Amino acid sequence: MTTLWMLAVKYRYLLWVGFKVTFLVSIFAILLGFILGVLVCFLRLSKNRILSKIAFVYVEIIRGTPILLQIAMVYYGLPMLGIDIPTFTVGGIQFDRFTCGVVALMINSSAYISEIIQGGILSIDAGQEEAALSLGYTKAQAMLSIIFPAALKNSIPALGNNFVTLFKSSAQVSTIGLADLMYTANLIRGNSFMPFAPLVLVAILYLIMTLSMSAILRKIESRMKISSSK
């Protein structure tokens, strides 16, 4: 325990930067991945067969390939497509690597989120849509006002698991040189010549993040249950 405390004090700046990078890359990927996932879900449910097929193929490709491969493809593929991301560092965060990490994690999470949301929508009783249509709602209005909110409420436990998994999966952005917690752990291991203690220290920080996220999601879920029971 003393060794961990000494390492934490000595390398507190590196650990803070790593914690900040891991937290920010995960939060941005969650928010953007959710938006993209909802869009992909609606495309899959679209009556336009071409759009539905494109969305289906997108989800299958993302779910069928490793996240590590996706991170590498985004990092090396964007420059090949002529997309140059400015290279500069702000607060210890390398902007180019950070952006690539967010994009790769966003793409990966969006495929799983679209499946979760789609399952939630399909679980809603068809009578709700029929009732909305009988009240004068259009199909789009019924989806956005009634079906989607109900599906989202039903999907919260699965979405929560996905978000927690994303926090842990973000460790793989260290492979492109982004100074997240995993990258920081390896840096401390090399400087301190301690192969194990830095990993324990970083594991504790990951636990703090994932347990906090789980607690927040449980509160949201319990509040939604209370509101729906009233």
Side-chain angles (χ1 to χ4, degrees), residues 41-60:
C41 171
F42 285 152
L43 289 177
R44 286 198 67 178
L45 295 173
S46 169
K47 290 185 177 179
N48 187 313
R49 294 184 65 183
I50 295 175
L51 293 177
S52 180
K53 201 70 177 176
I54 290 172
F56 172 79
V57 171
Y58 169 84
V59 169
E60 291 302 308

Side-chain angles (χ1 to χ4, degrees), residues 11 182 184-199:
Y11 296 103
M182 195 63 214
T184 300
N186 290 328
L187 197 62
I188 295 174
R189 290 171 72 202
N191 290 339
S192 65
F193 300 102
M194 295 181 182
F196 187 69
L199 296 176

Side-chain angles (χ1 to χ4, degrees), residues 47-93:
K47 290 185 177 179
N48 187 313
R49 294 184 65 183
I50 295 175
L51 293 177
S52 180
K53 201 70 177 176
I54 290 172
F56 172 79
V57 171
Y58 169 84
V59 169
E60 291 302 308
I61 289 173
I62 299 304
R63 291 178 64 196
T65 53
I67 189 171
L68 190 59
L69 175 64
Q70 293 163 16
I71 292 169
M73 289 181 73
V74 168
Y75 182 66
Y76 295 109
L78 289 182
M80 293 179 67
L81 294 172
I83 303 172
D84 294 321
I85 301 172
T87 305
F88 58 88
T89 303
V90 179
I93 300 175

Side-chain angles (χ1 to χ4, degrees), residues 38-187:
V38 170
L39 176 61
V40 172
C41 171
F42 285 152
L43 289 177
R44 286 198 67 178
L45 295 173
S46 169
K47 290 185 177 179
N48 187 313
R49 294 184 65 183
I50 295 175
L51 293 177
S52 180
K53 201 70 177 176
I54 290 172
F56 172 79
V57 171
Y58 169 84
V59 169
E60 291 302 308
I61 289 173
I62 299 304
R63 291 178 64 196
T65 53
I67 189 171
L68 190 59
L69 175 64
Q70 293 163 16
I71 292 169
M73 289 181 73
V74 168
Y75 182 66
Y76 295 109
L78 289 182
M80 293 179 67
L81 294 172
I83 303 172
D84 294 321
I85 301 172
T87 305
F88 58 88
T89 303
V90 179
I93 300 175
Q94 303 127 305
F95 183 77
D96 56 335
R97 291 178 170 86
F98 180 83
T99 302
C100 289
V102 168
V103 170
L105 292 174
M106 172 195 74
I107 290 171
N108 182 270
S109 66
S110 68
Y112 294 93
I113 289 171
S114 71
E115 289 285 284
I116 293 168
I117 299 295
Q118 182 180 355
I121 290 173
L122 295 177
S123 70
I124 302 299
D125 189 271
Q128 292 200 28
E129 183 180 2
E130 292 170 5
L133 294 175
S134 68
L135 291 171
Y137 284 78
T138 65
K139 283 199 171 184
Q141 288 173 334
M143 173 61 75
L144 295 176
S145 302
I146 298 171
I147 298 171
F148 179 69
L152 190 59
K153 188 183 292 185
N154 293 342
S155 303
I156 282 179
L159 286 172
N161 289 335
N162 179 266
F163 295 161
V164 170
T165 299
L166 186 64
F167 266 99
K168 294 182 288 185
S169 299
S170 68
Q172 300 191 61
V173 298
S174 61
T175 57
I176 59 173
L178 183 60
D180 71 329
L181 278 175
M182 195 63 214
Y183 184 93
T184 300
N186 290 328
L187 197 62

